[in-house]
Amino acid sequence: MRRLLGSTRGLFIACVAVSSLLAGLVTAFVWLPLAGHLLPPGHFLAPWVPMVLSILLAIPIASFVSRRSARPIQDMVEATKSISRGDYAVRVAEEGTGDIAELLHSFNRMTAELGSTELMRNDFINTFSHEFKTPIVSIRGFARRLRRGGLTEQQQNEYLDFIVEESQRLADLASSVLLLSKYESQKLVGEQTDYDLDEQIRTCVLRLESQWSAKDLVFELDLPRLPYRGNAEMMEHVWLNLLSNAVKFSREGGAVFLAACEEDGRISVTVRDEGVGIDPKDIGHIFDKFYQGDSSHAAEGSGLGLALVHRIVELSGGRITVESEKGRGTAFCVELPAAAGEG
Ligand code: ADP
């Protein structure tokens, strides 16, 4: 910035110097020969008169030109001061051409990015505080009620169960937030190993058996052998999240389908359920942090699961898509590079 302002000062000096040189040339080659013909004989005009006049004229012109070209930079200096005070709404007028115009455009883009990051950060802190406060308030309520006494043994046990459940929810929430912030700051998937994805998915299905058998669900698996190179710990979060959502949002006695294939160097795994489906107004937000479309299951999750899945798939060089119909079911499709490279 200082260099740019310095170059504006340089422009001013250059304008004065060029104008003075031109004035000298005009005086020597135009004015003096012309004055010799126009003035009556015996009259003489000192050569410094037109020279001084030209220089006097050159100074305001140079000052105008340099000030005009410095204005966008000075606007930017002022805008930068506003940003440093935390005002991200500030913008500079995008005028001029060439490098300056591009600089102003990039500056506005950078400010807009900073503004949205700040908004997201505030939003995250607000939601996070709210999500944390709710279980703490209910734990405190139950603990106070227990301390007052006068409860039956059954009531005491119920209240203690609530406290255990809510503290578990807090612990899960804290681990999910920590994990998500860790993966968000990571640029690479980290340690990679060779293993079979189909085997990992089957193990995840078994780990959730208590949940799906409680709802009397059937699992239909169509999983060929899928040799894969990637971070096994991270991929496990993906399958556990997608499968537990499929179970959570399925109706009693429903079915969950798992299919996978490998084609053109890409592995694709689909987890499909015939559950409640996702409202079209929610579908664009389900990968957002803390977003919970279906409030009937809000207490069973934190809205961080799919944000985590999305980040892991992204880090693994893949992509995740979703298709859903309200009341008919949902299908998530994870595509991964068959031999996943870092990043
Ligand atoms: P949660 O902890 O609430 O499950 P997620 O991030 O895993 O959070 O999911 C975000 C939201 O996406 C859920 O609250 C739900 O509305 C929707 N969702 C995710 N998976 C499914 C599914 N299989 N069927 C219906 N809705 C789903």
Side-chain angles (χ1 to χ4, degrees):
M1 196 68 70
R2 203 168 281 175
R3 272 177 60 187
L4 273 168
L5 283 172
S7 72
T8 314
R9 236 169 274 137
L11 183 68
F12 173 76
I13 295 166
C15 279
V16 175
V18 169
S19 309
S20 310
L21 188 72
L22 278 175
L25 290 173
V26 169
T27 308
F29 294 105
V30 180
W31 176 255
L32 289 179
L34 205 67
H37 291 291
L38 295 178
L39 291 174
H43 284 79
F44 173 74
L45 187 73
W48 56 265
V49 176
M51 275 187 80
V52 169
L53 282 178
S54 306
I55 292 170
L56 285 181
L57 202 65
I59 288 174
I61 292 173
S63 154
F64 174 76
V65 170
S66 58
R67 204 170 297 161
R68 231 186 110 78
S69 39
R71 209 179 58 208
I73 309 299
Q74 268 154 0
D75 285 354
M76 251 170 62
V77 172
E78 289 309 315
T80 313
K81 284 182 191 158
S82 302
I83 291 172
S84 68
R85 287 192 299 268
D87 173 13
Y88 297 103
V90 69
R91 297 286 181 277
V92 288
E94 290 184 27
E95 52 191 26
T97 51
D99 288 350
I100 291 284
E102 201 176 319
L103 181 69
L104 294 172
H105 181 66
S106 308
F107 181 85
N108 279 342
R109 256 204 357 236
M110 178 199 76
T111 321
E113 283 292 319
L114 283 174
S116 65
T117 311
E118 177 69 4
L119 204 71
M120 268 164 60
R121 197 172 68 97
N122 287 341
D123 207 39
F124 179 79
I125 292 172
N126 285 344
T127 322
F128 179 73
S129 317
H130 175 77
E131 292 286 325
F132 242 84
K133 209 177 144 197
T134 317
I136 288 175
V137 169
S138 54
I139 288 174
R140 190 180 56 193
F142 288 124
R144 278 187 177 152
R145 188 65 195 87
L146 281 166
R147 196 177 54 188
R148 273 211 305 275
L151 298 168
T152 63
E153 200 183 329
Q154 192 196 347
Q155 279 174 323
Q156 273 184 23
N157 285 337
E158 267 174 28
Y159 285 16
L160 285 170
D161 283 345
F162 272 127
I163 290 177
V164 172
E165 268 170 36
E166 290 296 88
S167 29
Q168 185 59 49
R169 227 160 80 79
L170 273 179
D172 292 345
L173 182 64
S175 338
S176 299
V177 170
L178 284 176
L179 208 58
L180 188 59
S181 80
K182 179 180 157 207
Y183 291 160
E184 279 190 335
S185 61
Q186 248 175 262
K187 298 276 175 281
L188 306 168
V189 285
E191 196 191 324
Q192 299 190 44
T193 47
D194 291 301
Y195 67 97
D196 289 342
L197 262 191
D198 55 302
E199 210 42 60
Q200 185 180 44
I201 297 171
R202 271 191 210 97
T203 312
C204 290
V205 174
L206 287 177
R207 275 182 59 184
L208 297 174
E209 193 190 344
S210 61
Q211 292 175 27
W212 52 264
S213 55
K215 283 183 100 170
D216 217 7
L217 299 179
V218 284
F219 265 82
E220 285 194 19
L221 273 61
D222 177 12
L223 299 173
R225 191 170 165 248
L226 296 167
Y228 178 69
R229 179 166 179 77
N231 186 307
E233 192 191 324
M234 281 166 109
M235 288 316 295
E236 195 179 80
H237 286 297
V238 171
W239 314 127
L240 284 175
N241 267 303
L242 294 180
L243 292 170
S244 63
N245 274 348
V247 172
K248 188 160 72 177
F249 295 103
S250 281
R251 300 185 192 88
E252 294 263 325
V256 177
F257 305 86
L258 272 166
C261 65
E262 190 184 332
E263 226 178 74
D264 302 330
R266 306 251 337 147
I267 291 173
S268 79
V269 180
T270 307
V271 180
R272 183 166 69 82
D273 64 64
E274 295 176 330
V276 296
I278 305 172
D279 202 296
K281 75 171 171 39
D282 293 324
I283 211 143
H285 298 285
I286 56 167
F287 296 107
D288 293 353
K289 283 174 223 158
F290 294 115
Y291 195 85
Q292 291 187 294
D294 186 332
S295 53
S296 61
H297 290 82
E300 294 167 47
S302 58
L304 288 174
L306 286 182
L308 206 59
V309 167
H310 189 269
R311 179 64 187 147
I312 295 172
V313 172
E314 185 180 57
L315 274 174
S316 310
R319 66 183 196 128
I320 178 163
T321 50
V322 56
E323 277 177 28
S324 186
E325 205 178 323
K326 189 84 185 139
R328 303 287 303 265
T330 306
F332 283 94
C333 177
V334 176
E335 275 180 44
L336 296 164
E342 291 253 310

